[in-house]
Amino acid sequence: HEVLESYGLTVFRQRYSVAVPIDHGASVSLLDEDGKVERSIEAYAIWPNLIQTSRIPANAVFNGQLIYAENGELSDLSGKIIKDTIVLMEFNSGDNWLNAAKLGAKAFIFIAPTETSYTEARGKFLRTPIHFPRLYVSRQDGITLRERALSDSVKVGISLNMQYET
């Protein structure tokens, strides 16, 4: 600000508050046949859809059949029952998650890629305040989930708490 004042300008600071989305924790739980947690996997919330965060109500868990949808192309979804499932997809899939969303999926888990781009990340959220839980897991954990989803019928539970804070 000293440079601006040297030009004869009046400089002042204005303080203001900003609301930002904070990820308070997320996880994916592999469930056994009795619905008990077999293994818990650390996950991360995807950026909000406009003002709508990726959130599940406090102390609630979404349970569902885990379906692997590769890159989310319609051909990847062909022959699979998507309605009311939790869909596992590769992160580098653009905005193809919307294909499964239109078919009734209730949540998404994205597998971390070895490398990606800003454009790929932008494809995972919308400029429309649609509530749709979306998570991101490490590559290693994603591969474990993918192997389980491809080898047998597996159910998972997801918990997710992202909220705006000042």
Side-chain angles (χ1 to χ4, degrees):
H1 79 5
E2 293 161 356
V3 171
L4 294 174
E5 287 176 335
S6 74
Y7 297 140
L9 299 172
T10 303
V11 178
F12 63 93
R13 292 181 187 205
Q14 182 175 2
R15 295 193 181 272
Y16 56 92
S17 299
V18 176
V20 295
I22 304 293
D23 185 351
H24 287 281
S27 66
V28 177
S29 299
L30 282 165
L31 306 175
D32 65 16
E33 293 90 26
D34 299 324
K36 294 182 181 173
V37 176
E38 182 181 305
R39 179 178 173 207
S40 185
I41 296 171
E42 184 176 22
Y44 306 92
I46 298 286
W47 196 253
N49 285 328
L50 193 59
I51 62 167
Q52 181 61 60
T53 61
S54 280
R55 183 166 193 252
I56 296 172
N59 301 321
V61 175
F62 270 24
N63 290 339
Q65 184 73 32
L66 183 66
I67 302 292
Y68 178 61
E70 298 178 54
N71 293 312
E73 299 282 344
L74 291 176
S75 59
D76 296 332
L77 303 174
S78 181
K80 296 177 180 173
I81 298 171
I82 303 299
K83 186 168 176 42
D84 295 328
T85 63
I86 296 173
V87 177
L88 177 68
M89 289 179 62
E90 299 297 330
F91 186 80
N92 289 344
S93 55
D95 63 358
N96 288 340
W97 65 277
L98 294 169
N99 291 332
K102 291 174 188 175
L103 294 171
K106 65 179 177 181
F108 290 88
I109 302 168
F110 294 101
I111 302 171
T114 54
E115 58 183 60
T116 194
S117 68
Y118 173 76
T119 304
E120 281 295 341
R122 281 283 308 139
K124 305 306 174 281
F125 56 93
L126 306 171
R127 290 183 287 170
T128 306
I130 296 171
H131 179 261
F132 224 101
R134 289 153 295 122
L135 303 157
Y136 181 89
V137 295
S138 73
R139 182 115 192 106
Q140 183 176 350
D141 288 333
I143 290 169
T144 298
L145 289 170
R146 181 177 66 202
E147 288 171 354
R148 289 290 301 273
L150 290 173
S151 67
D152 59 5
S153 178
V154 63
K155 289 195 177 190
V156 295
I158 61 171
S159 63
L160 178 61
N161 185 13
M162 177 183 263
Q163 298 179 46
Y164 278 97
E165 292 183 15
T166 303

